[in-house]
Amino acid sequence: MAPVKVFGPAMSTNVARVLVCLEEVGAEYEVVNIDFKALEHKSPEHLARNPFGQIPAFQDGDLLLFESRAISKYVLRKYKTDEVDLLRGGNLVEAAMVDVWAEVDAHTYNPVLSPVVHQCLINPLVRGIPTDEKVVAESLKKLKKVLEVYEVRLSKHNYLAGDFVSFADLNHFPYTFYFMATPHATLFDSYPHVKAWWERIMARPSVKKISVGMVPPKA
């Protein structure tokens, strides 16, 4: 069976989300880089894979998918085993909790954490745009309130959906990884259960491997 293909640079947060799931299930895959400077993401070939001209795109035989969370769920369903079930599809309650915290990541956690990454790393070091400290301050204020909720949750369970690692936890990996390269990484020190949870995620072999290709930009 031919390996599945993931189109996009490995350092991309959305590509990394898919790759860490592929690593977790032990699937064979190939990463096909997309050169943004050459506008390959707007080429007819890539638009056939992702009509919005974004990354990642994913190919499994004749099947083409886009949107990293949808791709990741497909991967986790296809390669699910008794030992590796990160969506907890065999347990209605556990699956519901995975869904809840995956949604929290997408709609509550990531929207307040990602602006810090963009303002502190991507804008000044990749795009040559000065950091907007007002945006950073506002985002950190919101992030603290979110982390207060996470601290309570993680004081009761080792992971977000329960005492088992799941897709909900892995979803948090890409952007949090880059957040930890900003001057504000020490914020997590104020939330010991959150910090311990993050350290457990970073200790996973899949995360360690994908992290190698996610070198944060430097000045």
Side-chain angles (χ1 to χ4, degrees), residues 78-170:
K78 176 173 180 176
Y79 297 102
K80 170 190 169 185
T81 65
D82 291 339
E83 292 76 28
V84 184
D85 182 8
L86 292 167
L87 294 173
R88 310 298 283 194
N91 184 303
L92 182 63
V93 173
E94 292 180 351
M97 294 309 298
V98 173
D99 287 345
V100 166
W101 286 96
E103 289 295 306
V104 171
D105 168 67
H107 303 295
T108 304
Y109 178 90
N110 198 60
V112 296
L113 180 139
S114 60
V116 180
V117 174
H118 282 272
Q119 289 296 332
C120 294
L121 296 181
I122 298 175
N123 280 359
L125 304 180
V126 177
R127 298 172 178 165
I129 302 173
T131 297
D132 187 330
E133 296 296 348
K134 181 179 179 181
V135 172
V136 172
E138 291 174 349
S139 298
L140 289 173
K141 183 178 179 179
K142 295 175 183 177
L143 179 59
K144 289 176 183 178
K145 292 183 178 180
V146 173
L147 290 179
E148 289 172 5
V149 176
Y150 275 56
E151 181 68 10
V152 173
R153 176 66 179 173
L154 292 166
S155 71
K156 300 174 182 177
H157 301 282
N158 287 331
Y159 296 96
L160 290 171
D163 290 317
F164 51 86
V165 69
S166 75
F167 177 57
D169 304 292
L170 297 179

Side-chain angles (χ1 to χ4, degrees), residues 117 121 175-186 188 195 198:
V117 174
L121 296 181
Y175 262 109
T176 307
F177 175 81
Y178 284 125
F179 179 85
M180 291 302 179
T182 74
H184 306 286
T186 55
F188 274 49
K195 185 176 182 180
W198 174 245

Side-chain angles (χ1 to χ4, degrees), residues 23-56:
E23 285 292 335
E24 285 282 344
V25 299
E28 290 188 41
Y29 64 90
E30 175 187 354
V31 178
V32 182
N33 189 45
I34 298 295
D35 189 338
F36 273 68
K37 291 184 179 180
L39 298 179
E40 287 184 357
H41 59 302
K42 300 300 183 182
S43 68
E45 292 80 9
H46 189 69
L47 289 173
R49 306 179 196 110
N50 185 330
F52 297 103
Q54 298 175 343
I55 55 167

Side-chain angles (χ1 to χ4, degrees), residues 60-79:
D60 183 5
D62 294 331
L63 176 66
L64 293 172
L65 297 174
F66 52 93
E67 294 297 337
S68 65
R69 289 175 174 82
I71 296 168
S72 297
K73 287 182 178 180
Y74 169 82
V75 167
L76 296 178
R77 291 185 183 115
K78 176 173 180 176
Y79 297 102

